[in-house]
Amino acid sequence: MDSQIIKTEYSEEMQKSFINYAMSVIVARALPDVRDGLKPVQRRTLYDMHELGIRYDRPYRKCARIVGDTMGKYHPHGDSSIYESLVVMAQDFKKGMTLVDGHGNFGSIEGDGAAAMRYTEARLERVTQEVFLADLDKNVVDFVPNFDETEKEPAVLPVRIPNLLVNGAEGIAVGMVTSIPTHNLGEVIDAVKAYMKNPLVSDEQLLKIIKGPDFPTGGIVINKDELPEIYKNGVGKIKIRGKVEVEKGKNGKDKLVITELPYTMIGANIGKFLNDVANLVETKKTTDIVDITNESSKEGIRIVLELRKNADVENLKNMLYKKTKLEDTFGVNMLAVANQKPEVLSLKQIIRHHVEFQYELAARKYTTLLNKELEKSEIQEGLIKACDVIDLIIEIIRGSKTLKEVKACLVHGETGKIQFKSEKSRKLAAKLRFTEPQAKAILEMRLHSLIGLEIEALLKEHEATLKHIADYRNLLGDRAVMTKFLMKELDQWKKKYARPRRTVIENGAEAVFEEKKMEEKEVMVLIDRFGYIKTVDVSVYERNKEAADGENKTIFSCMNTDRICLFTDTGKLHFIKVVDVPYGKFRDKGTPMDNICNYDSTTENLVYIQSLAFIREQRLLFATERSMMKIVEGLELEASKKTMAATKLAQGDQVVCVLPISPNDEYVVLRTRQGVFLRFPLEEIPMKKKAAVGVRGMKLGEKDGLEFVYLLKEGGIQTVEIGKKEVHLNRLKVAGRDTKGTKART
């Protein structure tokens, strides 16, 4: 067979392949369908549980069984995604209405994960069985082949409520994300009814019915006036707060009790909130909190903050809103798959899609039921008619040799091959015109059906069938009747499954608090040779000066409002706020600098440490191992970041020293590892920006590198030891920059 090579542009092929992949992720995995509000993995999991018969009124089954069966039949993308979706559908703190009844450890609101699938069990909730999976046998939705075309799965579930709004959705696709909050079932049903009564209902009118999101964790939405715009456009930010109550304690000490949390705090964020509150206390941002206790349990959230006597409760509440996640934002992006494409939808559009889907479901359901009743009526009419001529039918059966002859007579009146007792019977038989289904039912009819009571029951059943046919035709033929019927169904679901609203919707005042200004004072920064840092009062240092100087490698004074600059050999500058450094007694150990800034002692070495206030007033000399040098203005090194690049380095180079230059410094002396010295005027080193590499200070010998840099004042005397001999730096010959230098004799 001849092969054919198709030439194409690589960029075009990549673009086409990426678009196909992106759309596959968007439509087939990450985004929910606007009709049933479910992602494919959720839909497949629920359908598989339905197929396995794990109903709400039957025993629980192992989650591992459910996951394995779903993966093998419908969702071949790994067990973790299936189990995670199963767990989320069972968590009442994440879903407005749980769809799965979990048995075992399914995680907690505080971020504890669910147990492994081999330990947990599950079954469908009653609402899932009745509202999500009912009528699948009535041809209400299309069934499509699964991934290997060995099974059939529903393209969408026949969900009878707007699940996309009730349970919300979260998902990340390729280049897009969906984030839809949960809502109150009763309010959503009322909004759907309002739309069915008047499709021209405005978004504002719908929002009078749906007050806003209703999160399972409760909380307070504080930007009520912004909700109409959010729901009209399908995007925006909802501001939510936790619910805080004040309880009276002993001795006049109040307690702040947090009973409801923002929905965004579910999981590890509760632990972060507790850490943030503790940090406010440790950094002296507040002195009103005495103790923090997490008393949360299965009954609900209860985080207790014990306050000191006469604490400013309102100011503290506002501080918690401002400084912690107790006030947070929920980003809304109501993106869903509508008509097989992703679309950002407004509240009204979601309801419109749902209502259209309900009419489609009802039309398909009652068309199927009508056809069944018509078939049933046809057979019943045949049996009733047969009862009137039962003697003739028996005579036909007895006079026939084959079943085919009987059917031909009953359906077409063919009597040629049948023996009759009289010619009158033959003439009557020739007039019979039963349909094929009627003839089949007559031949399968049992003799006890000829009892009088059985015939009466058949007549009553036929009357009921005719009534059903009339009702179904009325539903299918009159949209107003269908609307009334659907609204009646919605009322049933509301009465059975709706619950009171949990989230309060209001226009909350902006949280404003008065942050107590720190008392500015001078402190001494002490850093020992192990990299532990602490601050002490100046008077404490002066009383212990001798011990402090002997035990610490770096000592300098600064204000407690200042920042500390850490220059490293990698060319980075790390900042530490002085307030973040432990302040206390002289004998306190302090804390490793690694713990309070981005400095990593395992990968970089400190070159110079000083306060930012000092650095700001200086000119700094930078020198690297390869003898690259420059002078930088200290003001250039001020930044609000925690870490910045203090200088640019060539590949494989590193900073050797950073030195502040005093006004009296005249000369610079370079010293290499091999003992080579070079003295030249400081003015030969140019001023550069921090992003510059600099100029070469001296020519280095092979495998040599710069080790030390000294600054000399005019007429100053300075000596260094090389081996056992002293070298007088001020006696070195003055040369030019970028020369070889002189090797010291030892």
Side-chain angles (χ1 to χ4, degrees):
M1 181 177 179
D2 294 336
S3 60
Q4 185 178 5
I5 298 174
I6 301 174
K7 292 185 178 182
T8 182
E9 282 289 333
Y10 184 74
S11 58
E12 290 179 8
E13 188 64 30
M14 286 295 293
Q15 184 179 9
K16 191 187 300 181
S17 298
F18 183 78
I19 290 172
N20 291 339
Y21 164 73
M23 287 304 298
S24 174
V25 172
I26 290 166
V27 176
R29 295 190 69 177
L31 300 186
D33 193 297
V34 69
R35 294 171 294 176
D36 61 5
L38 298 171
K39 297 180 187 179
V41 64
Q42 295 171 324
R43 184 181 305 118
R44 289 163 175 169
T45 303
L46 294 178
Y47 178 66
D48 185 74
M49 293 176 73
H50 173 73
E51 287 293 287
L52 290 173
I54 314 174
R55 315 293 170 89
Y56 69 91
D57 54 354
R58 295 184 184 177
Y60 296 94
R61 298 283 288 276
K62 284 285 185 185
C63 290
R65 170 67 194 278
I66 299 168
V67 171
D69 202 65
T70 304
M71 184 167 60
K73 288 182 179 178
Y74 310 116
H75 196 76
H77 301 295
D79 57 348
S80 59
S81 62
I82 301 170
Y83 186 51
E84 284 169 13
S85 72
L86 182 68
V87 167
V88 169
M89 288 191 288
Q91 292 176 327
D92 58 2
F93 51 85
K94 282 191 177 178
K95 291 292 181 183
M97 183 172 63
T98 56
L99 305 181
V100 172
D101 180 9
H103 184 242
N105 177 14
F106 274 78
S108 73
I109 194 172
E110 296 188 42
D112 301 316
M117 68 181 81
R118 61 183 178 274
Y119 300 119
T120 54
E121 298 176 323
R123 64 184 176 189
L124 292 171
E125 289 277 15
R126 182 168 187 168
V127 64
T128 315
Q129 195 65 49
E130 295 180 349
V131 183
F132 283 65
L133 295 162
D135 300 329
L136 277 173
D137 58 339
K138 296 181 178 64
N139 191 35
V140 289
V141 294
D142 294 330
F143 277 73
V144 296
N146 69 337
F147 61 92
D148 62 358
E149 299 187 356
T150 58
E151 301 278 347
K152 292 279 188 179
E153 61 175 311
V156 63
L157 291 186
V159 180
R160 310 312 299 269
I161 59 173
N163 181 54
L164 188 64
L165 290 174
V166 174
N167 271 329
E170 289 182 3
I172 300 174
V174 179
M176 55 185 67
V177 62
T178 182
S179 180
I180 304 173
T182 58
H183 295 81
N184 184 271
L185 174 62
E187 293 177 2
V188 170
I189 286 177
D190 288 341
V192 170
K193 288 169 61 181
Y195 178 86
M196 295 175 83
K197 290 176 184 176
N198 177 22
L200 299 178
V201 63
S202 66
D203 292 275
E204 290 74 16
Q205 290 172 318
L206 289 174
L207 273 176
K208 289 179 181 178
I209 303 170
I210 298 179
K211 310 297 182 188
D214 186 22
F215 297 107
T217 56
I220 305 167
V221 170
I222 60 169
N223 58 333
K224 180 180 179 181
D225 288 346
E226 296 176 14
L227 295 183
E229 195 67 21
I230 293 172
Y231 281 103
K232 187 176 181 179
N233 298 325
V235 294
K237 290 183 179 180
I238 295 173
K239 294 181 181 178
I240 46 179
R241 285 178 180 170
K243 187 176 180 182
V244 183
E245 298 174 352
V246 180
E247 293 183 2
K248 294 293 181 182
K250 297 178 181 179
N251 303 322
K253 293 181 179 179
D254 293 331
K255 294 180 179 179
L256 277 185
V257 182
I258 299 162
T259 56
E260 293 178 4
L261 297 171
Y263 184 69
T264 53
M265 272 179 62
I266 291 174
N269 281 330
I270 295 179
K272 186 179 185 304
F273 167 73
L274 296 173
N275 288 334
D276 288 344
V277 175
N279 190 50
L280 290 175
V281 177
E282 289 174 3
T283 56
K284 303 293 190 296
K285 292 287 178 64
T286 178
T287 56
D288 288 340
I289 300 174
V290 178
D291 192 23
I292 310 167
T293 311
N294 187 1
E295 299 177 3
S296 304
S297 63
K298 290 182 179 179
E299 282 67 43
I301 292 294
R302 182 178 168 83
I303 298 173
V304 181
L305 308 181
E306 292 188 24
L307 310 182
R308 66 173 174 80
K309 195 173 182 179
N310 300 322
D312 188 344
V313 176
E314 284 303 314
N315 190 56
L316 181 58
K317 283 170 65 175
N318 288 335
M319 174 182 274
L320 293 176
Y321 289 142
K322 276 288 187 182
K323 297 290 186 180
T324 71
K325 289 286 187 180
L326 196 60
E327 180 180 312
D328 205 358
T329 56
F330 181 95
V332 176
N333 188 33
M334 297 201 291
L335 179 70
V337 177
N339 301 320
Q340 297 300 310
K341 63 180 182 180
E343 187 177 345
V344 177
L345 304 166
S346 67
L347 174 65
K348 185 176 177 180
Q349 286 175 320
I350 292 175
I351 292 175
R352 176 172 59 81
H353 280 290
H354 169 75
V355 171
E356 289 174 357
F357 183 51
Q358 295 312 300
Y359 281 118
E360 181 189 340
L361 290 178
R364 293 182 65 162
K365 174 183 176 180
Y366 291 107
T367 299
T368 301
L369 291 176
L370 175 62
N371 291 333
K372 286 184 178 179
E373 291 298 309
L374 288 172
E375 292 173 5
K376 190 176 176 182
S377 174
E378 179 185 352
I379 291 171
Q380 288 171 345
E381 288 173 358
L383 293 176
I384 292 168
K385 183 179 175 183
C387 289
D388 294 335
V389 290
I390 191 65
D391 293 332
L392 177 61
I393 291 172
I394 292 172
E395 188 175 342
I396 292 170
I397 293 171
R398 295 187 67 181
S400 301
K401 293 181 180 179
T402 64
L403 186 62
K404 186 177 180 181
E405 291 176 358
V406 177
K407 279 188 177 181
C409 182
L410 293 177
V411 175
H412 303 293
E414 296 178 5
T415 59
K417 298 180 180 180
I418 302 174
Q419 294 182 359
F420 291 93
K421 293 180 180 179
S422 65
E423 192 62 30
K424 182 181 178 181
S425 296
R426 182 181 295 276
K427 289 180 180 180
L428 290 172
K431 296 177 181 180
L432 295 178
R433 289 297 183 274
F434 291 101
T435 64
E436 286 279 355
Q438 287 175 340
K440 183 179 178 183
I442 290 168
L443 293 174
E444 292 175 352
M445 182 174 63
R446 297 184 180 182
L447 290 176
H448 72 77
S449 301
L450 301 176
I451 300 172
L453 290 176
E454 290 291 334
I455 295 172
E456 287 180 16
L458 178 62
L459 291 170
K460 287 182 180 180
E461 188 179 344
H462 184 53
E463 287 179 12
T465 301
L466 293 176
K467 185 178 184 306
H468 289 156
I469 291 171
D471 290 342
Y472 296 155
R473 281 177 171 162
N474 192 27
L475 275 172
L476 293 167
D478 192 332
R479 191 174 178 88
V481 175
M482 179 69 82
T483 300
K484 189 176 179 181
F485 180 79
L486 291 175
M487 289 170 64
K488 187 177 178 181
E489 271 194 343
L490 286 171
D491 286 333
Q492 292 176 355
W493 305 135
K494 179 182 175 181
K495 184 178 179 181
K496 197 168 185 179
Y497 297 112
R499 55 161 179 75
R501 166 173 277 279
R502 298 175 187 172
T503 301
V504 177
I505 310 292
E506 64 182 25
N507 282 315
E510 180 73 19
V512 178
F513 74 98
E514 294 180 7
E515 190 169 355
K516 293 180 180 178
K517 291 184 178 180
M518 184 185 301
E519 182 185 350
E520 191 172 0
K521 65 177 182 179
E522 188 178 5
V523 294
M524 297 298 296
V525 178
L526 308 178
I527 305 173
D528 67 17
R529 58 194 179 90
F530 299 109
Y532 281 74
I533 186 171
K534 64 185 175 185
T535 58
V536 297
D537 193 76
V538 175
S539 60
V540 172
Y541 168 73
E542 289 175 349
R543 287 197 303 269
N544 301 274
K545 188 175 187 307
E546 188 176 344
D549 292 346
E551 295 173 4
N552 294 284
K553 187 177 180 181
T554 304
I555 300 173
F556 57 88
S557 65
C558 66
M559 304 305 291
N560 59 351
T561 55
D562 202 355
R563 289 192 291 166
I564 300 168
C565 301
L566 279 63
F567 294 87
T568 71
D569 60 354
T570 59
K572 292 179 181 177
L573 171 56
H574 303 292
F575 294 98
I576 300 175
K577 290 181 180 179
V578 177
V579 293
D580 292 340
V581 179
Y583 173 82
K585 299 176 183 178
F586 176 71
R587 287 299 168 193
D588 289 346
K589 189 175 182 182
T591 188
M593 287 183 287
D594 303 50
N595 294 351
I596 51 177
C597 70
N598 294 335
Y599 165 63
D600 184 358
S601 59
T602 62
T603 59
E604 51 189 342
N605 299 310
L606 290 171
V607 174
Y608 182 60
I609 305 174
Q610 189 49 267
S611 69
L612 180 60
F614 178 84
I615 296 293
R616 201 183 286 126
E617 304 295 328
Q618 303 297 316
R619 292 184 304 147
L620 298 178
L621 172 64
F622 283 81
T624 73
E625 187 179 35
R626 292 184 179 176
S627 186
M628 300 306 294
M629 307 183 75
K630 66 179 178 180
I631 298 174
V632 178
E633 286 285 355
L635 284 172
E636 267 206 67
L637 300 172
E638 186 172 3
S640 58
K641 302 176 183 178
K642 287 186 176 181
T643 298
M644 63 176 284
T647 184
K648 186 177 181 181
L649 292 173
Q651 184 73 29
D653 202 0
Q654 62 181 9
V655 177
V656 171
C657 74
V658 177
L659 295 175
I661 300 171
S662 67
N664 297 325
D665 290 332
E666 294 284 344
Y667 297 100
V668 60
V669 179
L670 308 184
R671 172 183 163 186
T672 71
R673 290 194 300 267
Q674 295 178 359
V676 177
F677 287 82
L678 176 64
R679 178 185 176 194
F680 60 89
L682 180 61
E683 63 185 18
E684 293 188 17
I685 302 176
M687 292 286 295
K688 294 280 187 181
K689 296 292 185 182
K690 65 181 180 182
V693 176
V695 296
R696 191 164 63 177
M698 70 182 297
K699 294 179 180 177
L700 299 172
E702 189 178 353
K703 297 183 181 179
D704 201 0
L706 198 63
E707 189 173 23
F708 292 106
V709 178
Y710 308 96
L711 291 173
L712 294 180
K713 297 177 177 58
E714 180 64 35
I717 299 173
Q718 188 172 347
T719 59
V720 294
E721 287 190 1
I722 298 293
K724 296 181 180 180
K725 185 179 179 180
E726 288 186 344
V727 176
H728 294 267
L729 301 181
N730 55 306
R731 295 179 183 175
L732 291 171
K733 180 183 176 182
V734 178
R737 181 184 61 80
D738 199 21
T739 54
K740 289 188 175 181
T742 307
K743 187 172 179 65
R745 297 179 181 178
T746 57

